């Protein structure tokens, strides 16, 4: 059995699944299609799928911040700086620091 698997990721972006799902259900998603934040970020970053993508965008369980009308995002290059993104933030502007 393999004990290591390679990926092409330069870094990972963690997105709170609970917050993103809650907003999308209310019709306040991200991007032009009002999608969940992880889907909108994958599209904007050109992330692709799985371990062959350039950037990993991963939905994680609740991060216990639960901002009203926002989603918590963590960039693995700066784990000490958590960001809260709101649906009114243009997705291109939200994705720029995550490139």
């Amino acid at each position: 059995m393999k004990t290591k698997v390679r990926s092409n990721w330069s870094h990972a972006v963690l997105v709170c699944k609970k917050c993103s799902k809650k907003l999308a259900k209310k019709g306040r998603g991200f991007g032009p299609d009002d999608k969940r934040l992880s889907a909108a970020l994958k599209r904007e970053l050109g992330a692709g799928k799985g371990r062959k993508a350039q950037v990993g965008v991963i939905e994680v369980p609740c991060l216990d911040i639960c901002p009203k009308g926002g989603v918590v995002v963590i960039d693995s290059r700066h784990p000490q700086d958590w960001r809260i993104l709101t649906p009114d933030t243009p997705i291109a502007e939200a994705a720029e620091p995550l490139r």
Side-chain angles (χ1 to χ4, degrees), residues 64-94:
D64 293 331
I65 301 296
C66 301
K68 269 203 186 290
V71 179
V72 179
V73 176
I74 304 170
D75 184 347
S76 66
R77 296 172 296 184
H78 309 286
Q80 71 280 6
D81 298 324
W82 294 21
R83 297 179 60 212
I84 297 174
L85 300 177
T86 58
D88 57 347
T89 306
I91 195 66
E93 184 180 309

Side-chain angles (χ1 to χ4, degrees), residues 16-24 36-38 59 71:
C16 181
K17 185 176 190 173
K18 184 178 177 182
C19 297
S20 186
K21 195 174 188 179
K22 195 183 300 185
L23 286 177
R36 289 166 50 170
L37 181 57
S38 60
E59 283 188 319
V71 179

Side-chain angles (χ1 to χ4, degrees), residues 2 4-10 47-56 58:
K2 289 184 179 183
K4 290 186 179 182
V5 179
R6 289 179 29 151
S7 81
N8 295 338
W9 295 0
S10 60
K49 279 182 115 176
R51 63 188 183 91
K52 294 185 179 182
Q54 293 177 351
V55 176
I58 306 296

